[in-house]
Amino acid sequence: MWVVNHRKILFAIIGTLIVLSLLSFFGWGLHFGIEYTGGSLLEVNYPGGRPDTTVVQSELAPLNLGNYLLQPTGDSSYVLKTGELSETQHEAVKNALSQGGKVTIEEKNFTSIGPVVGSELKRKAIIAIVLVILCIVLFIAFAFRKVSEPVSSWKYGVVAVITLMHDIAIPAGVYGLLVHFHGAQIDILFTTALLAVLGISINDTIVVFDRIRENLRLNREGRGKEPFDQIVGRSLKQTYLRSFNTSFTVILVLFSLFLLGGETTKNFALTLLVGMVAGTYSSIFFASPLLVTLWKAQDKK
């Protein structure tokens, strides 16, 4: 019952985190990758050993490539993402990467994405996120259709979506820090991570809601008169350990991926990791107390 009784304090803390996250994500400007804006990707291998990043950057500086992303990959390669390169610029970049021919490089991959394709990908990514959220609302409203008292079934769906908004706002805020301080880009991996967070974090919320539904049914069949907030508090108590154990194992895997994975997947792993942590605590400290708040609000009418 502690969580239910102190829900206003929890709402204030979580609300502050959401505001800070949104400021972090939007405040410094969105820096989309070439998947969404169009551009070129060049991957080169250094058979004789990869030079330091600062050395490569100094070689690229005279080319005035604008905003670009240089990422180490594997043991001896770099991936360079830039605006769209002409064939002449492509050759100039390769010459810079080889330090004027002093260092041997092997071109492993060169891809260009047009701005039309990038814009189409951005539009489809937004549609995918909206569709996922809509499907979740419909599914929860359907699954809880037999539990319309004392809180309507569709409100479970609304609460779940509000919780999911929080679950993706927090990792987006952390990613905003990476964009500003580490030069990361909003790329297809970031979108994939947010979609994965939506899919994973809803599990914990549904588990808690399902326990509430079961306890409501038992209370009704036993002709009990236990108030809704006490049923929610008891349901939370029954699911704390389960939520912690299941989430902890996933968080452990993601943490290992972040520490031991390749450079190109670090931001992806970190986004998932933060989203998983946010999804775990929000199902306990945000979603269920929000249900109680809605119940009390409708009880006053």
Side-chain angles (χ1 to χ4, degrees), residues 44-51 76-77 103-107:
V44 295
N45 181 50
Y46 289 87
R50 183 172 59 200
S76 58
S77 301
V103 178
T104 303
I105 62 169
E106 295 173 350
E107 181 176 339

Side-chain angles (χ1 to χ4, degrees), residues 36 39 62 76 87 151 155 160 199 226 266 286:
Y36 296 124
S76 58
E87 191 52 41
V151 176
K155 291 183 179 176
E226 188 176 15
K266 275 190 180 299
F286 188 49

Side-chain angles (χ1 to χ4, degrees), residues 82-101:
T82 68
E84 193 166 5
L85 297 176
S86 64
E87 191 52 41
T88 305
Q89 290 172 313
H90 175 203
E91 293 301 322
V93 168
K94 284 200 301 182
N95 185 58
L97 292 174
S98 66
Q99 299 175 30

